[in-house]
């Protein structure tokens, strides 16, 4: 298989397990899979692990870029994420009122000699990462045959 062009991701059966998928980008490859508890081989992160990884890496990179630009003495950022499904009625800040919805909990730890104002600003910047913005707005997914 030829590598996809930049900006395109190709997912194909890896051939090694029932659910194992090969994820290819222009410069990288990795495997994704389901855990053994649901019939996978646990050969890689789950689809939701990859979604959370996208948000977490984008968050940390966006915060790092801002800190570097502003001369903020940020040493390290840790982003911990979790995905859950909750009843809409249990969400006080959601537009959806019925059924279930997804909730992503993100906890961010900043290391460095930062004052309270810098920590607050970095948390604000975290919400501006492109993946956060994508997930927070309407998404249109168009499926078409190749």
């Amino acid at each position: 298989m030829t590598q996809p062009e930049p900006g395109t991701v190709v997912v194909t059966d890896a051939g090694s397990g029932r659910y194992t998928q090969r994820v290819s980008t222009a410069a990288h490859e990795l495997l994704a899979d389901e855990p053994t508890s649901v019939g996978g081989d646990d050969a890689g992160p789950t689809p939701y692990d990859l979604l959370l990884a996208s948000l977490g890496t984008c968050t940390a990179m966006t915060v790092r870029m801002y800190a570097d630009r502003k001369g903020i003495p940020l040493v390290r950022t840790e982003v911990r994420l979790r995905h859950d499904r909750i009843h809409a009625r249990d969400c006080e800040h959601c537009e959806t009122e019925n059924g279930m919805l997804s909730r992503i909990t993100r906890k961010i730890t900043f290391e460095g000699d930062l004052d309270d104002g810098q920590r607050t600003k970095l948390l604000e910047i975290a919400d501006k990462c492109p993946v956060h913005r994508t997930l927070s707005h309407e998404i249109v997914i168009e499926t078409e045959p190749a």
Side-chain angles (χ1 to χ4, degrees):
M1 178 181 99
T2 59
Q3 292 297 104
E5 64 273 6
T8 299
V9 173
V10 176
V11 178
T12 57
D13 288 328
S16 57
R18 181 172 180 83
Y19 300 118
T20 308
Q21 301 294 308
R22 180 173 323 289
V23 181
S24 302
T25 70
H28 304 283
E29 278 195 1
L30 64 118
L31 295 177
D33 203 352
E34 290 290 349
T36 55
S37 62
V38 295
D41 287 348
D42 201 20
T46 69
Y48 275 106
D49 290 341
L50 293 170
L51 177 70
L52 295 176
S54 294
L55 177 58
T57 56
C58 183
T59 298
M61 290 174 186
T62 300
V63 165
R64 166 59 55 204
M65 287 177 195
Y66 181 84
D68 287 351
R69 245 189 345 265
K70 297 296 184 177
I72 296 173
L74 177 66
V75 174
R76 183 172 176 267
T77 301
E78 178 181 280
V79 184
R80 289 184 174 262
L81 301 113
R82 181 169 188 82
H83 172 262
D84 297 295
R85 301 272 299 151
I86 62 170
H87 292 281
R89 67 177 174 269
D90 294 333
C91 181
E92 58 187 70
H93 302 294
C94 298
E95 292 178 20
T96 303
E97 296 178 3
N98 298 309
M100 301 291 287
L101 53 89
S102 287
R103 173 180 61 192
I104 295 175
T105 305
R106 179 176 60 177
K107 295 182 180 180
I108 306 172
T109 303
F110 301 119
E111 292 180 17
D113 187 20
L114 309 172
D115 62 36
D116 290 343
Q118 290 168 323
R119 288 179 189 281
T120 299
K121 187 62 179 178
L122 292 177
L123 284 173
E124 290 173 16
I125 294 302
D127 286 347
K128 296 181 186 305
C129 95
V131 173
H132 179 109
R133 288 181 173 192
T134 297
L135 293 172
S136 298
H137 292 88
E138 183 176 356
I139 299 173
V140 176
I141 299 173
E142 298 175 352
T143 304
E144 56 189 49

